[in-house]
Amino acid sequence: MRPPAMLRWAAVALALAAAALLAAAPAAAFYLPGVAPNDFQKKDQLLVKVNKLTSTKTQLPYSYYSLPFCKPDTIVDSAENLGEVLRGDRIENSPYVFEMREPKMCQIVCRASIDDKQAKELKEKIEDEYRVNMILDNLPLVVPIARQDRDAIVYQGGYHVGVKGQYAGSKDEKFFIHNHLTFLVKYHKDETTELSRIVGFEVKPFSINHQFEGQWNDKNTRLITCDPHASKLVTNSDTPQEVESGKEIIFTYDVGFEESDVKWASRWDTYLLMTDDQIHWFSIVNSLMIVLFLSGMVAMIMLRTLYRDISRYNQLETEEEAQEETGWKLVHGDVFRPPVNSDLLCVCVGTGVQFFGMLLVTMIFAVLGFLSPSNRGGLMTAMLLTWVLMGLFAGYASSRFYKMFKGSEWKSITLRTAFLFPGIAFGIFFILNALIWGEKSSGAVPFTTMFALVLLWFGISVPLVFVGSYLGFKQPAIEAPVKTNKIPRQVPEQAWYMNPAFTVLIGGILPFGAVFIELFFILTSIWLHQFYYIFGFLFLVFIILIITCAEITIVLCYFQLCSEDYNWWWRSYLTSGSSAIYLFLYAGFYFFTKLQITKLVSGILYFGYMLLASFAFCVLTGTIGFCACFWFTRLIYSSVKID
């Protein structure tokens, strides 16, 4: 089928996927972050929303109202996209309501009496260092923390539910809840219109055992410990609020407003620089330059050697001279012989093409600014959507190779391409989700969302794989540049350093070396709940990864053919694909050195998701190496005269 027809199929697939995604999960109106600011007049209402409770120690999010915090009259869930649901975000309204540029002091939110169960839950969340996340005008809440060593302020996302401590003169540890919040809203004012835009949302949490005079009269009660009329404000936690069953907790807050020179377009800079102490730009660039230099050296050596080989072979004039030659030319009659388990190889390559397309398109959109951190869940939603659409190319690639290997049952290979990797991924995801569900965490994906994922898979991805496979199978089979002998040639005994296991493990080191520093920041953003934003640099690393995988696979394949071993198909796939082994080992190293996870379920979740990520990385890098090696072998065997 001509390319325009392919484009028409892709357009139809895009429309179907977009429609299904909109039907699967409600989403807010689209806007490009950085282009649609909200302007507020003085005394306009500012609605604070609450998000999930998070902890880096457990990796299990919980909804804000799972703890005995003050609730509004009616709890309303905010519209969420599919990515937000999968991330465990649970965005709801809160009883905190501000008025623009109208400071408030000692505002009573509610008084709550906690029972045994609630006290236990609070203590557990404080023990596990859970943080409360809030949102105002799409800005996450941060806690400013002064760093003594740098004489600067860093920002922590969300405030801790409470702290553990001791009374003076006592050795018993007690749990104290942060029940007084001092908010600071920073705004940038337009001098001509007097309209303001929110550019910062900060809080300082305190634990204070509030006392009041007379009878409790809801929010009109006058507090002794916090009284704006008597100029008595909360500035410390000298008399903290202890968490004990049967005790009453009074929740209060202050809110102040501060004009800022920061413009609305730059308001996210504070959040993106929260990890500036961990970003070692020189180390990253230096590592990438080393990888580029090594790859260039390897490529130059390979090309010079190969050019000399081809020139020498083409200058041979007699049959006797040709018979005396050894090396890669001698296996020309077997080098394109179909490998063992060729069907599985076709499926793996097709899935790898799907991954490659997904990452390429997603990163291009991220570099262009469509997937900034302010668009919560946008990155995951985009990845899911592009994965579904790339099923077209997965089916096309797998069927093309399948037909080259003389396969005739194209429907069979299509079904395996459509179900093998997604089936494994969905199985692992389902098991891990069941564990999260057992912990009663809000991170558990609801049944309706699971159904939406299955709908995307069966309703869109599978049909697109069939369309791509049909189009690919209609194309003429890829012809080998040389004929294949009927009887396989015996492979001579190989040197120890050409052992498949050895070369495969060696081949994965260089691709992993190209990404391992960037991998640190990616793992940090996922497991330590920090923002990842250097997509331009990530795209550069991705390009370097492609080059590295291709070059190392071609070089090792060339050495293998020179040793008269023509079984290169699977080895070329596994050579660069073995980098996933190092990725998983690095994930284990990161777990024990950077994370503080102690719970068994949390550990299973971590290694389960990292196993899935490593599997996907193997499929991606293996496909890149295989395609490069396939191009290389066709090139060299079509460049020599074969009698």
Side-chain angles (χ1 to χ4, degrees), residues 477-540:
I478 301 173
E479 296 292 336
V482 292
K483 292 183 179 180
T484 301
N485 297 333
K486 292 184 178 180
I487 302 175
R489 178 188 179 91
Q490 185 176 1
V491 178
E493 186 176 351
Q494 301 293 302
W496 66 269
Y497 50 82
M498 291 306 297
N499 183 279
F502 181 78
T503 56
V504 163
L505 290 175
I506 289 297
I509 293 177
L510 200 58
F512 173 75
V515 300
F516 87 97
I517 292 181
E518 198 64 22
L519 181 64
F520 169 81
F521 298 110
I522 294 174
L523 291 178
T524 299
S525 69
I526 295 173
W527 300 107
L528 294 182
H529 307 148
Q530 296 179 3
F531 292 104
Y532 185 88
Y533 65 98
I534 44 177
F535 292 110
F537 200 83
L538 180 64
F539 187 72
L540 175 62

Side-chain angles (χ1 to χ4, degrees), residues 25-63:
F30 172 81
Y31 76 99
L32 180 62
V35 178
N38 291 320
D39 293 313
F40 298 97
Q41 293 181 345
K42 192 173 182 180
K43 293 191 177 183
D44 278 354
Q45 270 201 347
L46 305 178
L47 302 178
V48 178
K49 297 180 180 180
V50 292
N51 200 348
K52 60 189 175 183
L53 308 174
T54 56
S55 168
T56 57
K57 293 182 69 173
T58 68
Q59 302 296 333
L60 295 169
Y62 288 88
S63 67

Side-chain angles (χ1 to χ4, degrees), residues 400-610:
R400 290 284 282 155
F401 282 106
Y402 181 68
K403 191 170 184 178
M404 184 187 71
F405 292 144
K406 312 301 181 186
S408 57
E409 298 293 330
W410 70 275
K411 293 179 182 177
S412 172
I413 200 70
T414 303
L415 286 172
R416 277 179 275 183
T417 304
F419 288 102
L420 182 63
F421 180 84
I424 294 173
F426 190 82
I428 295 175
F429 176 73
F430 186 83
I431 294 172
L432 296 178
N433 193 64
L435 292 175
I436 300 174
W437 194 279
E439 293 292 317
K440 299 179 181 179
S441 167
S442 66
V445 177
F447 174 77
T448 52
T449 306
M450 294 285 278
F451 179 76
L453 293 175
V454 173
L455 179 65
L456 285 172
W457 179 14
F458 283 84
I460 300 174
S461 180
V462 173
L464 284 178
V465 173
F466 265 92
V467 171
S469 187
Y470 174 76
L471 296 176
F473 206 77
K474 284 188 67 176
Q475 299 294 320
I478 301 173
E479 296 292 336
V482 292
K483 292 183 179 180
T484 301
N485 297 333
K486 292 184 178 180
I487 302 175
R489 178 188 179 91
Q490 185 176 1
V491 178
E493 186 176 351
Q494 301 293 302
W496 66 269
Y497 50 82
M498 291 306 297
N499 183 279
F502 181 78
T503 56
V504 163
L505 290 175
I506 289 297
I509 293 177
L510 200 58
F512 173 75
V515 300
F516 87 97
I517 292 181
E518 198 64 22
L519 181 64
F520 169 81
F521 298 110
I522 294 174
L523 291 178
T524 299
S525 69
I526 295 173
W527 300 107
L528 294 182
H529 307 148
Q530 296 179 3
F531 292 104
Y532 185 88
Y533 65 98
I534 44 177
F535 292 110
F537 200 83
L538 180 64
F539 187 72
L540 175 62
V541 171
F542 182 61
I543 299 299
I544 294 173
L545 174 67
I546 295 171
I547 297 171
T548 308
C549 287
E551 287 183 346
I552 193 65
T553 307
I554 288 173
V555 168
L556 292 179
C557 180
Y558 172 71
F559 290 152
Q560 178 186 350
L561 294 176
C562 286
S563 300
E564 301 178 27
D565 183 356
Y566 53 83
N567 298 309
W568 63 274
W569 298 95
W570 273 109
R571 199 188 294 194
S572 66
Y573 190 93
L574 297 175
T575 294
S576 52
S578 65
S579 56
I581 298 175
Y582 300 101
L583 188 151
F584 189 75
L585 292 175
Y586 181 79
F589 171 78
Y590 185 88
F591 178 85
F592 291 108
T593 58
K594 299 296 181 181
L595 300 181
Q596 299 177 328
I597 293 176
T598 54
K599 289 190 175 182
L600 177 62
V601 171
S602 303
I604 294 174
L605 290 177
Y606 176 84
F607 284 104
Y609 282 126
M610 291 312 302

Side-chain angles (χ1 to χ4, degrees), residues 64 93 96 115 134 139 161 307 312 333 372 420 443 537 550 628:
Y64 177 82
N93 60 328
Y96 298 98
D115 55 27
M134 295 183 177
L139 271 183
V161 173
Y307 179 77
R312 187 173 71 250
S372 77
L420 182 63
F537 200 83

Side-chain angles (χ1 to χ4, degrees), residues 601-622:
V601 171
S602 303
I604 294 174
L605 290 177
Y606 176 84
F607 284 104
Y609 282 126
M610 291 312 302
L611 178 64
L612 191 57
S614 300
F615 182 28
F617 192 69
C618 174
V619 172
L620 171 69
T621 54

Side-chain angles (χ1 to χ4, degrees), residues 96 134 159 178-183 203-205 252-254:
Y96 298 98
M134 295 183 177
Y159 68 91
H178 285 140
N179 61 324
H180 180 86
L181 304 176
T182 300
F183 293 105
V203 69
K204 291 183 180 179
T252 56
Y253 73 94
D254 304 331

